Amino acid sequence: MSKYIFITGGVVSSLGKGILSASIGKLLESRGLKVSVIKCDPYINVDPGTMNPYQHGEVYVTEDGAETDLDLGHYERFTSARISRENNITTGMVYNSVIKKERDGIYLGDTVQVIPHITDEIKSRIKKVSAGRKLDVVIVEIGGTVGDIEGLPFLEAIRQFKQDTGLKNVLNIHLTLVPYLKSSEEIKTKPTQHSVGKLREIGIQPEIIVCRSEKSITEESRQKISLFCNVEKEAVIQAADVDCIYEVPLRLKEQWLDELIVRKLDIPAFDRGLDIWKKNVVDRAKNLKNAVKIAVVGKYISLKDAYKSIYEALDHAGIKNNVLVQTVKIESESITKGNICNILNGVDGILIPGGFGIRGTEGKISAVKYARERKVPFFGLCLGMQMAVIEYARNVCGFEKANSTEFSSGTPHPVISLMEHQKNTRQKGATMRLGAYPCNIRNDTNSSKAYRRRQIYERHRHRYEFNNRYRKSMEKKGMVFAGTSPDRRLVEIIEVKKHPWFVAVQYHPEFKSKPDMSHPLFRDFIASAWKYKKSRS
């Protein structure tokens, strides 16, 4: 039977439950245990696929094509867990399933209620992740903050878990804020006491409390939290801010958190340590010798989480190349033909991320033109590839007013158009081309040098594609179709001749990058940016 760790949060949101969950997964893997991590989101949306990035941040896509919370990206980057659509559970999914069962007569006339029907559905979905996979530990992060009304069914479900599976099979960890008041120069434990008190009212007693604080927690404060929250003093763990998020597992290990967990769950587990992680990731990340500036030109720049996986993948490539990646975040709407030279002057590479909608597209197209003409290393992702195609069609091939039918249905040159199977699709949620698909790579391209293999699998999230009616004419003008679907119908990678590194892809390579295994394209993009910087100096 799998053991379960439930992680809740209190006092305020955005404390870092995702990083804590992923770090605990890393710690347990270092002890030879097989883990998986689940995110429970209390919102009523079925998934975040239709949410505005300003509200929710990045939509992370799994191999099997699920649009999920960005915390699942942390789980994959920190651990070797196989993350799928089953690893993200939302209120929308739960109620959708229960209502369908009621309509199908599954409940045989029972009055359908939150307890037991909704809570049973939540428990069933949590247990499904470990079914047939021989997992030692399943880590379950409960989104939101204790006290939120929408989270109550999830908290009731995990309260029942301990009764269902036994005391030694369930562990509750609570993450709280321990604020520092500058005026009185004091650490305050009362918010943590109230947060834990709220949990105990529901019937959940956390065995471990993890405290976020900008100042070191004193022994007196630890003792007070231990006393008033009914936990052992050694089970009060500090989670201080760190320069590199990949350092978090090391700081938790210093406080014996992994030892505490395996003891409380009664799991025999040999400690293999985190020496390789420290050497190859943390030490390298904190001692980078050189630096490059990468312009990220997007429409959601003001929210860091909107491009979370991209920023992480750039950092991973920096670790691999021993180069500090300094991202220059540029709102694409701010770019005009008159100011583009001033805005992009001095950058060593330009990256255009994915997105939807017409806002800011002309600024992105201008950035592509700047990179192509000035031989600045360029990397386009999803919409970024489509922008590169439009720019090339207009300025190299002479197709005046070339555009995507997403932005201009009446364009005379629809070089980007809606995918054929999407034309009759009306529902917006989970209907795009999603998940991992194969791509065959052409020899003698920058892409083939990066991947060093003939066929790759990458994750997609798009409705529009390159219009094959323009393939021959654009190829004659120097565009290289470096990667296509195995049947050659879909263009997946484009490159430009006589340019040191100009690669744009229809998929999202950022989702498969890890700190100890940089994605090949990000790795070579940063290597090219460093080479470009040296050539300029």
Side-chain angles (χ1 to χ4, degrees):
M1 180 185 290
S2 300
K3 309 272 186 171
Y4 294 89
I5 298 173
F6 293 104
I7 297 178
T8 53
V11 185
V12 295
S13 60
S14 302
L15 278 180
K17 293 192 300 296
I19 297 294
L20 176 62
S21 302
S23 297
I24 289 173
K26 185 67 185 177
L27 287 173
L28 296 182
E29 281 191 342
S30 75
R31 301 186 74 108
L33 300 176
K34 189 174 182 181
V35 306
S36 190
V37 194
I38 299 172
K39 175 67 181 289
C40 293
D41 276 308
Y43 53 69
I44 298 175
N45 305 66
V46 172
D47 61 46
T50 56
M51 289 188 191
N52 189 316
Y54 284 128
Q55 283 199 11
H56 187 268
E58 168 188 89
V59 174
Y60 187 80
V61 179
T62 60
E63 284 284 293
D64 60 350
E67 295 172 291
T68 71
D69 185 81
L70 61 84
D71 279 322
L72 275 74
H74 295 313
Y75 307 160
E76 285 204 325
R77 288 188 283 271
F78 276 74
T79 75
S80 59
R82 189 184 75 200
I83 302 297
S84 72
R85 64 178 63 251
E86 295 172 351
N87 291 74
N88 199 186
I89 303 169
T90 70
T91 295
M93 292 177 188
V94 171
Y95 275 82
N96 212 18
S97 177
V98 168
I99 291 170
K100 186 177 185 305
K101 288 177 182 178
E102 186 275 330
R103 294 288 83 187
D104 291 341
I106 301 298
Y107 298 124
L108 302 176
D110 283 352
T111 300
V112 179
Q113 298 175 292
V114 173
I115 302 172
H117 301 95
I118 296 299
T119 52
D120 282 353
E121 180 70 21
I122 292 169
K123 290 188 292 183
S124 173
R125 286 174 174 264
I126 291 172
K127 291 174 182 175
K128 188 178 180 181
V129 170
S130 60
R133 291 176 59 185
K134 296 182 180 179
L135 296 174
D136 296 302
V137 180
V138 178
I139 302 163
V140 185
E141 176 193 346
I142 307 297
T145 307
V146 170
D148 294 344
I149 191 168
E150 60 265 29
L152 288 175
F154 288 95
L155 295 176
E156 172 59 23
I158 68 172
R159 183 196 69 79
Q160 295 174 18
F161 237 92
K162 187 161 283 192
Q163 290 181 327
D164 296 346
T165 59
L167 294 177
K168 282 288 187 179
N169 295 320
V170 174
L171 184 66
N172 290 301
I173 299 177
H174 192 53
L175 176 65
T176 75
L177 177 68
V178 179
Y180 172 74
L181 296 186
K182 191 174 181 180
S183 58
S184 60
E185 298 183 344
E186 287 181 301
I187 291 273
K188 290 297 184 181
T189 65
K190 192 64 74 176
T192 293
Q193 295 175 41
H194 283 305
S195 181
V196 172
K198 199 73 175 174
L199 262 184
R200 293 168 71 180
E201 285 177 15
I202 299 166
I204 298 171
Q205 169 63 58
E207 288 90 354
I208 297 173
I209 297 175
V210 179
C211 304
R212 284 295 305 273
S213 178
E214 59 180 298
K215 295 285 186 179
S216 296
I217 298 174
T218 63
E219 283 301 303
E220 180 185 358
S221 296
R222 286 166 64 101
Q223 183 64 48
K224 188 181 290 186
I225 292 170
S226 169
L227 177 64
F228 286 100
C229 296
N230 196 31
V231 297
E232 302 165 290
K233 185 179 169 185
E234 65 176 1
V236 179
I237 306 294
Q238 177 169 305
D241 292 344
V242 292
D243 296 329
C244 170
I245 61 168
Y246 302 114
E247 193 177 353
V248 174
L250 301 179
R251 301 288 79 82
L252 296 176
K253 188 172 183 61
E254 288 173 356
Q255 300 173 74
W256 301 95
L257 178 59
D258 54 328
E259 184 65 34
L260 196 60
I261 289 171
V262 297
R263 174 166 60 81
K264 286 182 176 293
L265 287 175
D266 195 22
I267 305 174
F270 178 72
D271 188 3
R272 301 177 184 179
L274 289 170
D275 292 345
I276 295 176
W277 180 264
K278 181 179 183 297
K279 177 183 176 183
N280 293 345
V281 177
V282 178
D283 288 348
R284 287 176 64 90
K286 296 176 74 173
N287 295 282
L288 300 172
K289 295 181 179 179
N290 307 298
V292 293
K293 289 183 179 179
I294 302 297
V296 177
V297 183
K299 63 187 286 188
Y300 305 115
I301 287 297
S302 60
L303 183 69
K304 183 178 180 180
D305 282 350
Y307 303 121
K308 187 66 176 177
S309 290
I310 291 173
Y311 296 140
E312 293 300 313
L314 287 170
D315 287 342
H316 304 162
I319 292 171
K320 184 66 177 178
N321 286 285
N322 196 24
V323 171
L324 174 65
V325 178
Q326 299 170 331
T327 54
V328 181
K329 300 172 184 177
I330 300 171
E331 285 281 0
S332 54
E333 280 187 293
S334 69
I335 295 176
T336 65
K337 291 180 180 179
N339 67 13
I340 188 167
C341 291
N342 290 333
I343 288 177
L344 294 176
N345 182 43
V347 302
D348 306 306
I350 297 170
L351 184 148
I352 296 183
F356 301 93
I358 192 171
R359 182 170 64 85
T361 53
E362 291 302 321
K364 294 176 185 178
I365 291 168
S366 295
V368 175
K369 185 173 186 286
Y370 181 96
R372 181 180 57 78
E373 291 182 341
R374 294 173 182 254
K375 301 294 189 292
V376 180
F378 173 80
F379 196 12
L381 311 178
C382 196
L383 181 66
M385 186 196 98
Q386 296 173 9
M387 297 294 95
V389 168
I390 293 169
E391 188 281 326
Y392 205 85
R394 290 180 185 178
N395 300 314
V396 178
C397 300
F399 297 141
E400 190 178 348
K401 296 183 179 179
N403 215 326
S404 166
T405 56
E406 180 184 3
F407 315 131
S408 174
S409 58
T411 174
H413 294 291
V415 291
I416 301 295
S417 59
L418 190 64
M419 301 181 79
E420 195 63 37
H421 71 274
Q422 291 281 327
K423 290 182 177 178
N424 295 320
T425 300
R426 295 292 175 264
Q427 191 170 340
K428 297 298 183 185
T431 56
M432 286 185 277
R433 188 180 187 225
L434 293 165
Y437 286 89
C439 169
N440 289 349
I441 300 179
R442 173 174 160 178
N443 290 330
D444 301 321
T445 60
N446 281 323
S447 303
S448 66
K449 291 174 185 175
Y451 282 107
R452 298 173 190 169
R453 65 178 71 176
R454 170 66 176 159
Q455 188 174 82
I456 51 128
Y457 282 79
E458 292 284 4
R459 302 179 195 179
H460 293 250
R461 185 175 183 250
H462 63 102
R463 295 185 194 278
Y464 291 81
E465 63 176 339
F466 180 87
N467 188 340
N468 286 317
R469 285 166 43 197
Y470 293 88
R471 194 184 291 194
K472 287 185 179 179
S473 56
M474 295 186 78
E475 202 165 27
K476 285 180 182 178
K477 288 290 188 176
M479 178 165 280
V480 178
F481 298 99
T484 61
S485 58
D487 61 7
R488 293 188 54 78
R489 291 184 181 182
L490 299 177
V491 172
E492 304 281 32
I493 308 173
I494 65 164
E495 298 186 13
V496 171
K497 289 182 179 179
K498 298 180 182 180
H499 192 289
W501 210 90
F502 189 108
V503 178
V505 299
Q506 185 57 77
Y507 47 84
H508 290 269
E510 66 269 24
F511 294 146
K512 299 186 78 168
S513 186
K514 291 174 177 278
D516 51 355
M517 196 181 300
S518 173
H519 189 282
L521 291 180
F522 276 90
R523 178 199 66 211
D524 284 12
F525 172 54
I526 295 304
S528 178
W530 172 236
K531 184 177 180 181
Y532 173 78
K533 180 178 182 177
K534 289 191 293 183
S535 70
R536 283 194 301 138
S537 61

